[in-house]
Amino acid sequence: MKFTPQLQGDQIDLLMKALLTLTTTDEAHRFCEDVMTIKELESIAQRLEVAVMLNRKATYQEIAQKTGASTATISRVNRALHYGAEGYSFVLSQLDGEI
């Protein structure tokens, strides 16, 4: 089944293509630090850690304590894991040996 993104357009496509050019952690750090604010980068990193912990069946309380994420953030990530575009699931499977 073909995926239809919620956000579409030339700018979004350019961002997705830019992300696909990154091949090392150093390149990713450099790009993300230039494109995002520190807070945006921290928020995205926190959400990914929440997804990892949810995938490992951690409780909301354990996740909140370890990550500092609010229950609203944990719930949002949980919804995305179960009903979203399968982006978290794909990335978690790709990172399986590294996390």
Side-chain angles (χ1 to χ4, degrees), residues 50 54 60 63-64 67 69-79:
V50 167
L54 285 167
Y60 276 35
I63 295 167
T67 66
S70 68
T71 55
T73 295
I74 298 167
S75 181
R76 186 177 334 119
V77 172
N78 194 42
R79 271 193 313 276

Side-chain angles (χ1 to χ4, degrees), residues 5 7-21:
L7 278 173
Q8 297 184 41
D10 292 342
Q11 291 177 335
I12 299 295
D13 287 345
L14 181 60
L15 175 60
M16 298 307 124
K17 288 174 185 174
L19 291 171
L20 289 170
T21 67

Side-chain angles (χ1 to χ4, degrees), residues 21-76:
T21 67
L22 306 172
T23 58
T24 67
T25 304
D26 183 64
E27 289 173 357
H29 273 282
R30 290 170 182 269
F31 180 72
C32 288
E33 287 186 20
D34 281 352
V35 172
M36 295 179 228
T37 66
I38 299 293
K39 187 65 181 160
E40 289 168 335
L41 188 52
E42 289 172 341
S43 294
I44 292 168
Q46 181 188 63
R47 283 183 234 142
L48 182 56
E49 185 175 10
V50 167
V52 167
M53 293 184 72
L54 285 167
N55 202 44
R56 292 181 179 160
K57 309 298 185 218
T59 66
Y60 276 35
Q61 184 179 9
E62 292 168 330
I63 295 167
Q65 188 173 11
K66 181 169 190 246
T67 66
S70 68
T71 55
T73 295
I74 298 167
S75 181
R76 186 177 334 119

